[in-house]
């Protein structure tokens, strides 16, 4: 195995972990003397800078960049590079990136769609013929691989807003890749789980090559590294160094692109040098709705961000605060709003460059309009769950594992950044000697020729990852995001209502018990097997009387089994400039400031 892992910690501790004593020991939470009892920690406060990521070391990297004179964009790129090394279970430069930036000089929000496209050399007919009897693109192997957009996204945002040289920005991640870092608990859990699943699926013949991933992510003994063990990735260090020295062209029009091309050719894949060379990041205009005086910003499709906006538009007419936090009445309305929005998501969200509409952006504007929200809201009853839901028709009105991070600097710039390889660690494919796994985002293309999200060469697949930003009175207020596939729009709404309607601080909003509704039509147009009212999964902190009341309203309530996302946030007080940071307990992250 190329990459080395060294054990840390006392022998007694490791023996306890091996025996399962530590894992099986019972423990009970202590009592907080202030704030809500369910919050795991206080909000972090600072004035000069704040970073909240899914790994404490990545947060520290961002803070160090800020303290060295970089701005929020520089720090966000540095943290993203570090966490691509430290949390390969969900992200890395083999995946895509989406960003919302608040620029204090122009007092505007800017959006980056850093999604890559499907290979030009793979036609729809080729896909269908290759799959044979299959009716969906598989999650692993070469077929779901689309061009990785992250690196070009870094350079696009850096060219426009960055202030520190890129070689300095990438230097911390290069040092950690060479010298190593200790694994954290949750990441170690997913690392072992994902590699075990990939091993079984490779043995079952589900993808073309696995030796490179094993050499990159397993120890010399063939095991996944454990919590507290030092992991090094010299291949990724070399790749980062090529990018630091050669810029984005090193990745898309140079040695890295050629390596990816040669690897794909060797294993029988489709992404080619020409696909990488043609890739460009797109600057997009974020869309917003005003929710109780706050402007909530999301990126337009092919992502699912406007599903959160549609939900908020539906909920605007209800007095949620009078219903009470974590009440069955409020949760019922949020779930019903989700069900309506997700049917539209399945029908209308796709790459606008391929949409069969004269102006797809006009369609998206209709989906988040007040009038359309009125027509959809009329379908909701406060007395019972809808028995079935279908998409609406906005034209009747006149005319898919992820990491999230956010950084703010003392000058008022805020960055909301989300980045992903998609399902699991990605496609299972690590190009020769590069130290990162390619994404499997193309799994989310539909094979229904009449669906707007149908597979086509050179097309961007539907995307689940969505950053968010809130402004108020023309000033940045809150930058946040929540990982986890279809959980993301649902989670955004739960966070927003917790803060705006129920008055929780941003740490409490993240630590509170969540719900997740499953059973809507998928983004590929396939009806879920749990069609009807679907299934409402709830975390253990949901009170039993609330569960009973939701059941009485017709919801099928079940205990959750994970999949409730991972959240970070920064809130800026517009009067004092004080920054408040939060990183929830479902991940290993931390909010740090100075």
């Amino acid at each position: 195995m190329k990459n080395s892992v060294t054990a840390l910690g006392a022998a007694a501790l490791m023996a306890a972990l091996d025996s399962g004593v530590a894992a099986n020991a019972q423990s009970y939470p202590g009592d907080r003397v202030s704030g809500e009892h369910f919050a795991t920690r206080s909000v972090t406060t600072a004035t000069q800078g704040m970073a909240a990521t899914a790994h404490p070391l990545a947060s520290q990297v961002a803070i160090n960049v800020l303290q060295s004179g970089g701005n929020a964009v520089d720090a966000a790129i540095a943290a993203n590079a570090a966490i691509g090394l430290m949390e390969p279970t969900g992200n890395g430069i083999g995946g895509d990136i989406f960003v919302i930036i608040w620029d204090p000089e122009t007092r505007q929000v800017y959006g980056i769609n850093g999604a890559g496209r499907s290979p030009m050399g793979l036609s729809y007919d080729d896909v269908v013929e290759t799959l044979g009897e299959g009716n969906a693109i598989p999650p692993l192997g070469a077929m779901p691989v689309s061009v990785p957009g992250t690196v070009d996204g870094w350079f696009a945002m850096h060219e426009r807003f960055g202030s520190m040289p890129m070689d300095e920005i990438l230097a911390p991640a290069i040092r950690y890749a060479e010298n190593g870092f200790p694994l954290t608990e949750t990441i170690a859990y997913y690392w072992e789980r994902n590699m075990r699943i990939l091993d079984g699926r490779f043995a079952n013949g589900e993808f073309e090559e696995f030796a490179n991933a094993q050499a990159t992510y397993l120890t010399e003994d063939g095991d996944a590294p454990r919590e507290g063990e030092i992991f090094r990735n010299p291949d990724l260090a070399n790749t980062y160094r090529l990018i630091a020295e050669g810029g984005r062209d090193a990745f898309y029009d140079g040695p890295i692109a050629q390596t990816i091309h040669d690897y794909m050719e060797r294993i029988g894949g489709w992404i080619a040098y020409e696909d990488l060379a043609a890739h460009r990041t797109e600057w997009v205009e974020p869309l917003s709705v005003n929710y109780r005086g706050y402007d909530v910003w999301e990126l337009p499709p092919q992502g699912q961000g406007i599903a959160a906006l549609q939900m908020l538009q539906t909920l605007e007419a209800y007095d949620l605060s009078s219903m009470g936090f974590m009440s069955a009445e409020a949760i019922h309305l949020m779930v019903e709003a989700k069900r309506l929005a997700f049917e539209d998501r399945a029908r209308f969200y796709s790459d606008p460059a391929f949409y069969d509409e004269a102006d797809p952006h006009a369609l998206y504007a209709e989906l988040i309009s007040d009038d359309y929200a009125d027509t959809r809201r009329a379908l909701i009853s406060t007395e019972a769950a809808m028995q079935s839901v279908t998409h609406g028709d906005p034209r009747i009105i006149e005319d898919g594992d992820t990491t999230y991070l956010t950084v703010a600097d003392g000058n008022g710039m805020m960055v909301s950044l989300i980045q992903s390889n998609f399902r699991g660690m990605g496609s299972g494919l690590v190009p020769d000697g590069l130290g990162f796994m390619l994404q499997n985002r193309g799994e989310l293309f539909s094979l229904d020729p009449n669906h707007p999200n149908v597979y086509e060469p050179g097309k961007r697949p539907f995307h689940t990852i969505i950053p968010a930003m809130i402004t108020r009175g023309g000033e940045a207020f809150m930058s946040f995001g929540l990982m986890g596939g279809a959980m993301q729009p649902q989670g955004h709404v739960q966070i927003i209502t917790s803060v705006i309607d129920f008055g929780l601080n941003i740490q409490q909003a993240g630590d509170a018990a969540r719900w997740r509704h499953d059973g809507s039509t998928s983004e590929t147009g396939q009806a879920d097997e749990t069609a009807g009212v679907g299934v409402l999964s709830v975390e253990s902190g949901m009170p039993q009387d609330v569960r009973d009341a939701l059941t009485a309203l017709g919801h099928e309530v079940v205990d959750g089994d994970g999949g409730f996302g991972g959240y970070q946030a920064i809130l800026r007080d517009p009067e004092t400039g004080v920054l408040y940071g939060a990183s929830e307990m479902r991940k290993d992250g931390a909010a740090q400031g100075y």
Side-chain angles (χ1 to χ4, degrees):
M1 303 294 172
K2 297 183 207 173
N3 297 333
S4 61
V5 178
T6 305
L8 279 182
L13 173 60
M14 299 310 296
L17 290 172
D18 288 338
S19 67
V21 173
N24 294 326
Q26 286 185 314
S27 63
Y28 301 92
D31 296 327
R32 288 183 57 84
V33 298
S34 63
E36 295 290 346
H37 67 89
F38 53 79
T40 59
R41 69 198 75 164
S42 302
V43 175
T44 302
T45 55
T47 57
Q48 299 305 304
M50 182 71 69
T53 82
H55 197 295
L57 294 179
S59 297
Q60 188 62 56
V61 164
I63 292 298
N64 289 344
V65 168
L66 293 176
Q67 291 178 320
S68 299
N71 64 20
V73 164
D74 302 323
I77 296 170
N80 193 199
I83 208 164
L85 163 73
M86 297 170 180
E87 192 190 23
T89 51
N91 78 114
I93 57 172
D96 288 340
I97 189 171
F98 291 81
V99 190
I100 299 178
I101 299 168
W102 168 263
D103 175 32
E105 291 190 10
T106 59
R107 298 168 61 86
Q108 292 185 41
V109 290
Y110 298 85
I112 280 182
N113 179 334
R117 293 161 176 82
S118 56
M120 290 301 299
L122 181 64
S123 70
Y124 174 85
D125 290 341
D126 290 336
V127 171
V128 173
E129 181 179 353
T130 302
L131 291 177
E133 298 297 321
N135 60 0
I137 294 176
L140 298 174
M143 184 169 287
V145 176
S146 50
V147 171
T150 293
V151 171
D152 193 59
W154 288 351
F155 280 86
M157 59 196 286
H158 181 263
E159 180 180 5
R160 190 165 189 172
F161 293 110
S163 63
M164 179 180 283
M166 189 64 87
D167 60 345
E168 295 182 28
I169 291 172
L170 295 181
I174 293 171
R175 288 195 297 270
Y176 273 120
E178 290 179 330
N179 301 327
F181 66 94
L183 259 69
T184 49
E185 179 182 2
T186 303
I187 292 172
Y189 165 80
Y190 283 113
W191 200 310
E192 187 280 330
R193 179 177 180 269
N194 285 329
M195 290 302 291
R196 173 167 38 83
I197 291 172
L198 285 171
D199 184 66
R201 300 188 75 167
F202 177 71
N204 197 39
E206 296 185 39
F207 59 107
E208 296 87 349
E209 189 275 329
F210 193 43
N212 285 359
Q214 291 172 316
T216 301
Y217 297 115
L218 298 180
T219 71
E220 293 181 356
D221 296 328
D223 300 320
R226 296 186 302 178
E227 176 190 359
E229 291 185 306
I230 302 294
F231 176 77
R232 298 180 178 88
N233 191 338
D235 286 346
L236 186 60
N238 291 335
T239 298
Y240 279 167
R241 189 173 289 107
L242 286 171
I243 296 169
E245 295 172 354
R248 56 86 58 202
D249 287 350
F251 194 99
Y252 295 95
D253 197 22
I256 299 171
Q258 189 63 54
T259 298
I260 294 173
H261 173 95
D262 293 344
Y263 174 72
M264 280 289 176
E265 192 171 67
R266 175 167 73 83
I267 68 170
W270 294 274
I271 291 292
Y273 184 95
E274 293 77 13
D275 296 312
L276 292 152
H279 176 76
R280 294 294 184 274
T281 295
E282 182 183 3
W283 287 93
V284 296
E285 185 175 344
L287 300 175
S288 70
V289 299
N290 186 275
Y291 184 73
R292 311 200 197 287
Y294 296 82
D295 293 311
V296 181
W297 299 87
E298 300 272 2
L299 297 182
Q302 83 275 9
Q304 62 175 341
I306 66 169
L309 302 185
Q310 287 190 249
M311 292 172 67
L312 292 173
Q313 284 287 74
T314 302
L315 294 169
E316 175 84 20
Y318 300 103
D319 185 4
L320 298 184
S321 62
S322 69
M323 300 174 188
F325 175 66
M326 204 65 71
S327 68
E329 294 88 346
I331 294 172
H332 165 71
L333 292 172
M334 285 188 263
V335 172
E336 297 296 88
K338 177 268 178 185
R339 294 173 66 197
L340 291 169
F342 268 52
E343 292 306 312
D344 288 343
R345 164 184 175 266
R347 177 62 185 86
F348 300 117
Y349 297 11
S350 71
D351 185 346
F354 288 77
Y355 207 97
D356 187 21
E357 286 282 336
D359 184 1
H361 296 288
L363 172 65
Y364 302 146
E366 291 290 357
L367 286 169
I368 61 174
S369 70
D370 293 336
D371 288 341
Y372 185 65
D374 289 342
T375 67
R376 299 296 271 166
R377 189 185 306 110
L379 301 174
I380 295 177
S381 167
T382 58
E383 304 298 323
M386 295 176 286
Q387 291 304 299
S388 63
V389 181
T390 187
H391 65 79
D393 187 354
R395 290 159 294 191
I396 66 173
I397 299 171
E398 285 305 317
D399 269 77
D401 289 314
T402 302
T403 200
Y404 174 82
L405 63 91
T406 178
V407 181
D409 62 32
N411 294 323
M413 179 177 284
M414 300 183 79
V415 177
S416 182
L417 183 155
I418 197 160
Q419 204 264 307
S420 173
N421 282 2
F422 189 48
R423 192 182 302 280
M425 293 179 72
S427 63
L429 304 177
V430 173
D432 301 325
L434 294 185
F436 64 86
M437 187 175 291
L438 295 168
Q439 67 183 351
N440 50 358
R441 186 59 64 173
E443 181 193 353
L444 290 183
F445 279 120
S446 172
L447 293 182
D448 177 356
N450 297 314
H451 195 281
N453 188 41
V454 65
Y455 176 87
E456 296 183 56
K459 185 176 182 178
R460 295 172 298 189
F462 173 89
H463 254 276
T464 56
I465 59 176
I466 52 174
M469 186 84 70
I470 302 176
T471 60
R472 189 182 191 191
E475 297 287 346
F477 176 72
M478 182 175 170
S479 173
F480 76 100
L482 188 143
M483 319 159 201
M487 177 66 203
Q488 292 182 57
Q490 306 178 60
H492 281 204
V493 169
Q494 290 175 64
I495 296 297
I496 291 166
T497 56
S498 291
V499 172
I500 295 177
D501 290 291
F502 303 119
L504 273 62
N505 69 39
I506 59 172
Q507 184 65 48
Q508 295 164 354
D511 284 340
R514 294 195 189 122
W515 53 265
R516 185 190 72 248
H517 178 269
D518 299 300
S520 299
T521 302
S522 77
E523 58 279 346
T524 61
Q526 296 174 320
D528 193 285
E529 61 183 10
T530 55
V533 297
V535 174
L536 183 60
S537 299
V538 297
E539 290 191 298
S540 59
M542 185 75 68
Q544 187 59 50
D545 62 332
V546 175
R547 299 182 187 214
D548 293 342
L550 288 166
T551 300
L553 287 166
H555 297 283
E556 183 179 341
V557 181
V558 301
D559 291 331
D561 57 356
F564 291 94
Y567 149 91
Q568 277 84 36
I570 297 174
L571 186 149
R572 183 178 185 274
D573 187 322
E575 295 183 3
T576 66
V578 171
L579 300 168
Y580 299 83
S583 182
E584 62 149 278
M585 47 74 176
R586 295 172 187 81
K587 298 288 183 178
D588 294 327
Q592 300 180 29
Y594 81 105

